[in-house]
Amino acid sequence: MDPSKLHTHPEVARILERRRFLKNAAAGTLLVALGGGTYVVAAADDPRAKTQRPDGRPRLPPGQRIIDALKPMGGDPGDPSPASFKLHVHGEVENPVTLDFAKLLALPQTDLTCDVHCVTGWSMFDATWRGVQLAELAKLVRVRSTARYVIFEAANSYTSNVRLSEALAPGVLVAHQHGGKPLSRPHGPPARALVPDLYFWKSAKWLTGIRFSARDRPGYWETRGYHNHADPWKEERYG
Ligand SMILES: Nc1nc2c(c(=O)[nH]1)N[C@H]1C(S)=C(S)[C@@H](COP(=O)(O)O)O[C@H]1N2
Ligand SMILES: [Mo]
């Protein structure tokens, strides 16, 4: 056989393929197919998985693996158009407001980088977002002292519930950009909730309302067997 054609021989091609696979694995990455897409998954010994957050928790919560991009997780989409966007901020507040997209953009904007953790087992590190802090909206509507929970309301009646104390954390946003660009179709445009330190189902896409509530109102997944609180470090996956 002509040696220059050797790499096309099926047996040799298999060996070369295997060698490339091992090289990638040794470099710390692995390609896997997950529901239609191919994602770079960090190896179990990825050094980033071994670091700690400033609050002392391990950067990678238990039972999670790192992937390199948000995986679109579906859901019943809403209207992605900024022109028809309306966000109702209401409930236990002195001054309920309805914000259109221009009004949302006129509020102080926050850029942040955070890790995102999906209950199905993937985590994306260093996701970048731009949006308005929930604390900023709480200030605007003057939340009453009776409020204890925030209920995120989204298209087609999807909701999620978050304790008020956790929803006021500086990382909680109404986000309209991810990765320096407007949210793309699968990720809930024109604006979604972002609650970085709870499993990602709390981060309602196609957001239509924020309700400050005196009582807890378990949402879409919380009434379908998932945990009411959803702390990834306590593996609060199922209720
Ligand atoms: N409106 C709405 N928001 C939603 C959902 C949904 O079905 N509808 N799914 C949730 C779940 S289960 C996850 S894991 C994340 C996924 O977000 P992503 O598709 O941007 O990765 O969105 C959450 N927000
Ligand atoms: Mo999810």
Side-chain angles (χ1 to χ4, degrees):
M1 189 180 185
D2 174 355
S4 72
K5 295 272 182 350
L6 196 58
H7 65 281
T8 62
H9 187 279
E11 199 58 36
V12 175
R14 240 192 316 275
I15 290 162
L16 289 175
E17 185 52 43
R18 168 117 186 104
R19 193 179 293 164
R20 196 169 53 198
F21 173 85
L22 290 172
K23 218 171 113 202
N24 283 337
T29 61
L30 185 56
L31 289 170
V32 298
L34 280 174
T38 305
Y39 294 82
V40 177
V41 174
D45 62 353
D46 186 302
R48 294 178 301 169
K50 300 244 158 46
T51 56
Q52 285 198 344
R53 298 164 30 119
D55 65 12
R57 288 186 274 185
R59 188 158 180 206
L60 187 67
Q64 296 293 111
R65 62 183 191 282
I66 308 166
I67 68 173
D68 68 338
L70 295 183
K71 178 172 152 57
M73 298 301 287
D76 202 352
D79 184 343
S81 144
S84 42
F85 178 74
K86 288 228 179 335
L87 183 68
H88 305 284
V89 190
H90 63 119
E92 296 290 311
V93 303
E94 298 297 337
N95 175 44
V97 297
T98 296
L99 300 172
D100 61 18
F101 202 65
K103 282 194 180 132
L104 185 75
L105 296 189
L107 291 169
Q109 302 292 304
T110 295
D111 290 289
L112 66 84
T113 301
C114 67
D115 301 340
V116 165
H117 310 290
C118 177
V119 72
T120 60
W122 59 262
S123 293
M124 183 194 170
F125 280 1
D126 295 321
T128 59
W129 306 90
R130 183 174 178 81
V132 175
Q133 285 179 318
L134 195 100
E136 189 67 39
L137 295 171
K139 202 166 73 183
L140 179 72
V141 296
R142 285 183 274 122
V143 175
R144 293 191 184 126
S145 61
T146 46
R148 288 283 176 273
Y149 294 88
V150 168
I151 312 302
F152 291 110
E153 301 168 329
N156 310 302
S157 306
Y158 184 95
T159 63
S160 68
N161 55 329
V162 176
R163 295 171 186 164
L164 180 64
S165 55
E166 293 177 308
L168 295 177
V172 176
L173 299 187
V174 172
H176 54 85
Q177 287 189 10
H178 166 61
K181 293 191 216 98
L183 296 178
S184 64
R185 286 278 177 143
H187 300 297
R192 74 180 298 166
L194 173 71
V195 189
D197 286 351
L198 296 177
Y199 283 125
F200 207 28
W201 84 73
K202 297 286 187 183
S203 297
K205 305 190 275 191
W206 305 288
L207 197 63
T208 58
I210 293 168
R211 173 179 184 162
F212 293 90
S213 175
R215 64 174 182 85
D216 196 9
R217 297 165 192 272
Y220 183 86
W221 288 115
E222 295 83 5
T223 56
R224 285 167 176 79
Y226 285 83
H227 199 283
N228 195 49
H229 181 227
D231 181 335
W233 287 270
K234 296 178 181 160
E235 287 207 70
E236 293 173 342
R237 297 175 191 271
Y238 309 106

